[in-house]
Amino acid sequence: MPAARSSPPPVAGVMAELRTLEDPRMRAINERHGDDHGVNLTKLRAVAKRLKKQPELARELWATGDTAARLLAILVSRPRDFSADEYDAMLREARAHKVRDWLVNYLVKASPHAEELRVRWLDDANPAVAAAGWALTSERIATAPAGLDLEALLDVVEAEMKGADERLQWAMNTALATIGIHHAELRDRAICIGERLQVLKDYPTPPNCTSPYAPVWISEMVRRQERAGN
């Protein structure tokens, strides 16, 4: 007789487990960075590994509105589990920076809706949504640039990045650097834009890490590419 399949844990049980993982000190640190949760991410990943992929549980966890639960929901989901409209709603509902970042990087980028959402989000009036559009654009610049007007993207960066919201500014700066790193014909222009705008020039960068200041970032990554090619 085959063994009975165990039913997936109810959302209440998972939420109770997340509460046991809450660390007030970690919450205080995370809140300074715009993330209202206190769960160690290594422990959260261990919970997700045990639960495996469960899209219905993911939806229930997301519906709680709790940041740790939403991060877990992302980890137990597959990119194809949600429609474009669901992803759009989830991004707009997300409060915490890490939830938005994980949603885009772990799910949307690998979903069948990535290009549709990139176009939909790129010029959105909500800076957090527009930042997601620029993050998807950076991915395309690096991996599938055919059909993109890179000169026009540089025009937008040059005109709008300096005064953009912090998260949107960061995403536009990433696109600027990605163009400079991956497209030699536009490298000088990308560096010149970065030098003129000075965005993130004084960003505190730990030793042995690359500055996010686009001219330095571009030069360092190109140097590494050239060294690897020798």
Side-chain angles (χ1 to χ4, degrees), residues 130-176:
W134 279 93
L136 294 174
T137 298
S138 292
E139 180 76 7
R140 260 203 70 184
I141 291 167
T143 62
L148 288 179
D149 188 339
L150 299 181
E151 290 274 13
L153 290 173
L154 289 177
D155 290 343
V156 175
V157 169
E158 190 168 21
E160 300 179 12
M161 182 172 72
K162 183 76 171 179
D165 168 88
E166 181 181 359
R167 301 292 292 187
L168 177 55
Q169 185 183 75
W170 188 279
M172 295 176 81
N173 183 72
T174 300
L176 173 65

Side-chain angles (χ1 to χ4, degrees), residues 197-213:
L197 298 183
Q198 303 281 290
V199 169
L200 299 177
K201 182 177 182 180
D202 299 322
Y203 189 84
T205 306
N208 302 318
C209 292
T210 302
S211 169
Y213 177 49

Side-chain angles (χ1 to χ4, degrees), residues 74-215:
I74 292 166
L75 292 175
V76 300
S77 298
R78 293 175 293 257
R80 66 177 183 271
D81 286 340
F82 303 99
S83 70
D85 287 343
E86 285 177 312
Y87 277 130
D88 184 75
M90 292 164 77
L91 182 67
R92 294 176 191 279
E93 292 168 4
R95 301 183 313 273
H97 298 325
K98 191 169 292 297
V99 171
R100 290 193 292 264
D101 290 345
W102 279 24
L103 183 70
V104 172
N105 290 311
Y106 292 179
L107 296 178
V108 178
K109 279 185 180 179
S111 80
H113 315 295
E115 180 60 12
E116 176 187 344
L117 291 171
R118 183 190 76 80
V119 174
R120 186 190 301 191
W121 291 342
L122 193 60
D123 298 319
D124 198 275
N126 182 329
V129 176
W134 279 93
L136 294 174
T137 298
S138 292
E139 180 76 7
R140 260 203 70 184
I141 291 167
T143 62
L148 288 179
D149 188 339
L150 299 181
E151 290 274 13
L153 290 173
L154 289 177
D155 290 343
V156 175
V157 169
E158 190 168 21
E160 300 179 12
M161 182 172 72
K162 183 76 171 179
D165 168 88
E166 181 181 359
R167 301 292 292 187
L168 177 55
Q169 185 183 75
W170 188 279
M172 295 176 81
N173 183 72
T174 300
L176 173 65
T178 306
I179 290 173
I181 292 165
H182 292 276
H183 300 277
E185 73 281 7
L186 295 173
R187 186 167 298 145
D188 287 346
R189 185 183 175 199
I191 290 173
C192 286
I193 290 171
E195 289 174 341
R196 186 172 69 78
L197 298 183
Q198 303 281 290
V199 169
L200 299 177
K201 182 177 182 180
D202 299 322
Y203 189 84
T205 306
N208 302 318
C209 292
T210 302
S211 169
Y213 177 49

Side-chain angles (χ1 to χ4, degrees), residues 47 135 154 225:
V47 174
L154 289 177
Q225 290 172 356

Side-chain angles (χ1 to χ4, degrees), residues 1-5:
M1 181 177 180
R5 293 182 180 179

